[in-house]
Amino acid sequence: MESWSVEQVCNWLKQRNLGELVPKFREEEVSGAALLALNDRMVQQLVKKIGHQAVLMDLIKKYQQQKSGLESLTYCCETVLQKFPEVVSGKNLKSFFARHKTLQWTSSYALPDFPYDVKCILAEKKCPDHSMRIRIIEFLQADMTKYLEGSLYPNSQQYNVVVNALLQAYPFLDEDGNGFLLWKRALKDRFKYVRRPIEDDEQVLRNKCKFGHRRGQSRKSSFAENKHDDVQGQVEEEPAHLKGSAMDLHIKWLNQEYMKTQRNWEEVDNRMNVTIEIRRKMISDKAPLKDILRLFPFLRCPYQLFREFQLLTHMDIYKKTVEILELYSENILSLYVVRNNPINIMLQENLKQHTEEDVLKYMKMTAACLLLPEVFGDDSSLFAAVNEEVKALTPVMEVKNPFNVNSCEFALYIEREELAQLDDCTMALAALVAAFHVFDIPCPKRIHRTLNFLESLVFEVRKPASLP
């Protein structure tokens, strides 16, 4: 890419649905070397639309990471071959390269050759029915397994690459901009289904041990037959009745530790790991939220809520939320639609009273967060209750005195009950997004566009939703 001419850069933009940027790039004579040297400020001056800015910076970042990884790999290979020339003709060289193959294929992934009937549906640009969706997912799963040399445990990045490739090739599959998460979830579920009957595979056994299983245990048809059933058996048969089991001991310990002021957080992490399967089973079975929190009170702690989200998605939700608000806050506050909003008026009044840069930045990020529903024309009462009573049953932020540094309060509510106290608006927003996923709560339609915008950035969708 460094040696590309301006025309080659323009062609590259067109291939990635960024053709609108071509005239500006030609005018500014942006070659390949100049493209890789762009920083955030340059991109903002060069590209007007926030969505295009995010996509362009993401593409540049991924290319640089790929290049860095290949350079590192080349250096490692040269070092190994210099120190150990005997590996050239032996099996060690094959083993050495195999370790890096999983990362390499993501940068050059190509969709599989679908069967004829699937090709016909895709060629007609018709939205596939349920059975056809299953066919597509089956072929994607088989293709990924081939690339992974038989492994049935793709990581989140690999799922993202495959789903992005599918939606880029067939944009009509991205229904209302929400197709990414649906296809990714379906693909992950397919891998779970394929893994289920494999009991003796070493990788399966290692993952079972990681989440509380013990080698040699088998599922029982009834909890009464043996009170030492394995974790999976407990989850499927008696998730709410765990007396006398090892799982019950973990839950009792967690409840006792939650009551302490000085907590052993390392052990809390370990026991939350061990109990994740039964917790996810209760949530998927739509157990009452009060029952879930009674057994696992640490989900009320922001740290554990974020950690649970990371276990499910491999994403650091708090870090992502900070990045989103830092990147978009100025753009949000400059939009005409929020100019006369009470939140913005309150912000402008409070900005006059402070000069510290950190305080001003904090206030702007808080205002940008609270104004997001207004930007997308959503119902703000389903997003945040500012200086008023929470009325929504779904996750919502409660915010008091948002711009008073000394008396501001932030909390997350679910079913009109306080779940957690948060330090600031950024943490509250991260907790809000995490709660929808951790507790598997459907997103209300009247706040859908706002959350879709946030999730597209959190999950690094190739074509993130953009500000209106």
Side-chain angles (χ1 to χ4, degrees):
M1 185 179 281
E2 294 92 332
S3 59
W4 284 2
S5 65
V6 175
E7 280 306 314
Q8 286 176 308
V9 170
C10 293
N11 291 333
W12 178 78
L13 291 172
K14 291 175 183 177
Q15 292 171 2
R16 282 151 182 79
N17 297 322
L18 296 173
E20 295 181 31
L21 309 183
V22 169
K24 188 66 175 177
F25 272 61
R26 281 186 179 140
E27 179 185 342
E28 298 293 338
E29 297 183 355
V30 180
S31 62
L35 178 67
L36 295 177
L38 293 176
N39 57 32
D40 290 353
R41 186 177 298 277
M42 293 177 184
V43 170
Q44 290 174 5
Q45 293 175 347
L46 194 62
V47 182
K48 298 304 179 185
K49 291 185 179 180
I50 294 175
H52 288 168
Q53 292 176 11
V55 172
L56 184 61
M57 288 303 297
D58 183 59
L59 289 170
I60 295 173
K61 178 181 176 183
K62 286 180 178 176
Y63 176 82
Q64 291 171 337
Q65 288 174 343
Q66 176 188 343
K67 179 187 173 187
S68 175
L70 290 174
E71 289 175 348
S72 175
L73 176 58
T74 303
Y75 174 77
C76 290
C77 291
E78 291 173 352
T79 304
V80 169
L81 294 176
Q82 288 171 3
K83 291 185 177 181
F84 309 102
E86 66 275 9
V87 303
V88 174
S89 58
K91 294 182 179 179
N92 293 333
L93 185 61
K94 181 179 179 181
S95 174
F96 177 79
F97 280 104
R99 269 179 274 168
H100 301 275
K101 192 167 184 179
T102 299
L103 293 177
Q104 287 177 329
W105 75 263
T106 58
S107 62
S108 58
Y109 179 78
L111 288 173
D113 189 18
F114 289 114
Y116 179 74
D117 58 335
V118 176
K119 286 181 179 178
C120 291
I121 294 294
L122 295 176
E124 295 173 3
K125 297 185 178 181
K126 289 182 179 179
C127 185
D129 58 18
H130 180 67
S131 61
M132 189 57 66
R133 282 174 175 269
I134 292 176
R135 293 263 286 156
I136 295 172
I137 288 296
E138 286 176 348
F139 272 84
L140 289 178
Q141 179 268 317
D143 195 56
M144 287 181 70
T145 304
K146 178 190 70 176
Y147 273 100
L148 292 168
E149 295 185 331
S151 172
L152 296 175
Y153 289 89
N155 60 35
S156 184
Q157 179 193 3
Q158 290 161 346
Y159 281 121
N160 290 347
V161 167
V162 173
V163 176
N164 278 331
L166 179 68
L167 298 186
Q168 188 174 24
Y170 307 105
F172 60 90
L173 296 178
D174 190 10
E175 301 169 8
D176 300 324
N178 304 310
F180 178 86
L181 296 179
L182 296 176
W183 284 100
K184 183 177 178 180
R185 170 54 58 191
L187 191 54
K188 293 177 77 173
D189 288 344
R190 175 64 188 173
F191 269 97
K192 288 181 182 178
Y193 176 80
V194 173
R195 288 195 299 261
R196 190 176 302 166
I198 305 175
E199 296 294 337
D200 299 324
D201 184 86
E202 281 300 317
Q203 194 170 6
V204 174
L205 291 172
R206 283 197 299 271
N207 278 273
K208 283 189 173 184
C209 291
K210 179 180 178 181
F211 293 112
H213 292 262
R214 290 193 297 275
R215 185 184 291 267
Q217 287 183 326
S218 59
R219 298 183 187 178
K220 306 296 181 181
S221 60
S222 169
F223 179 78
E225 291 179 6
N226 189 337
K227 67 180 181 180
H228 296 293
D229 285 355
D230 69 312
V231 174
Q232 185 66 29
Q234 292 169 4
V235 171
E236 292 188 353
E237 298 296 336
E238 296 282 345
H241 307 286
L242 301 165
K243 295 181 180 179
S245 68
M247 193 60 57
D248 184 49
L249 296 177
H250 289 306
I251 292 174
K252 283 183 178 178
W253 186 92
L254 288 169
N255 277 266
Q256 292 170 357
E257 193 71 10
Y258 184 74
M259 302 303 294
K260 298 179 181 179
T261 53
Q262 297 293 328
R263 295 160 178 166
N264 183 348
W265 286 109
E266 183 177 354
E267 186 62 20
V268 170
D269 290 349
N270 292 335
R271 294 186 186 245
M272 288 293 281
N273 281 351
V274 171
T275 56
I276 188 170
E277 286 194 22
I278 189 169
R279 189 161 59 250
R280 299 318 306 167
K281 179 65 174 174
M282 289 181 68
I283 291 171
S284 66
D285 288 345
K286 304 301 180 185
L289 181 63
K290 289 183 179 179
D291 290 349
I292 297 168
L293 294 176
R294 177 175 56 82
L295 293 177
F296 304 102
F298 277 100
L299 288 179
R300 294 180 178 274
C301 299
Y303 163 74
Q304 283 298 329
L305 185 66
F306 297 157
R307 191 172 179 276
E308 188 91 351
F309 182 89
Q310 191 162 11
L311 289 174
L312 297 174
T313 65
H314 305 288
M315 292 289 180
D316 186 338
I317 182 66
Y318 181 68
K319 180 182 176 182
K320 287 286 183 183
T321 306
V322 172
E323 292 174 356
I324 292 168
L325 289 181
E326 286 182 342
L327 181 62
Y328 286 92
S329 58
E330 292 288 351
N331 301 84
I332 291 170
L333 296 175
S334 66
L335 294 173
Y336 178 80
V337 70
V338 304
R339 185 170 299 174
N340 297 319
N341 187 281
I343 296 291
N344 199 16
I345 294 173
M346 196 188 312
L347 168 69
Q348 300 306 324
E349 292 174 353
N350 282 272
L351 287 178
K352 299 174 184 177
Q353 303 172 18
H354 298 275
T355 56
E356 301 91 339
E357 185 176 344
D358 290 344
V359 175
L360 298 178
K361 180 181 178 181
Y362 161 82
M363 288 184 175
K364 290 180 179 179
M365 289 174 65
T366 299
C369 170
L370 298 176
L371 288 169
L372 269 174
E374 186 75 17
V375 171
F376 290 95
D378 282 339
D379 186 347
S380 58
S381 67
L382 298 178
F383 186 78
V386 182
N387 294 331
E388 60 183 31
E389 182 184 356
V390 172
K391 298 178 181 178
L393 291 172
T394 51
V396 64
M397 294 182 287
E398 184 196 50
V399 184
K400 296 180 180 178
N401 309 316
F403 304 114
N404 189 321
V405 180
N406 298 318
S407 65
C408 57
E409 295 180 13
F410 301 90
L412 178 67
Y413 275 66
I414 304 180
E415 296 179 359
R416 300 197 189 102
E417 297 288 339
E418 183 181 301
L419 181 78
Q421 290 280 344
L422 293 314
D423 294 343
D424 52 43
C425 204
T426 306
M427 184 179 287
L429 179 59
L432 177 73
V433 176
F436 276 101
H437 285 267
V438 169
F439 298 110
D440 196 18
I441 299 172
C443 172
K445 288 185 178 180
R446 288 182 293 158
I447 200 68
H448 171 77
R449 283 171 291 191
T450 302
L451 289 180
N452 180 53
F453 168 75
L454 293 168
E455 289 179 350
S456 70
L457 295 172
V458 168
F459 292 110
E460 300 177 346
V461 178
R462 179 164 294 184
K463 295 181 181 178
S466 57
L467 293 172

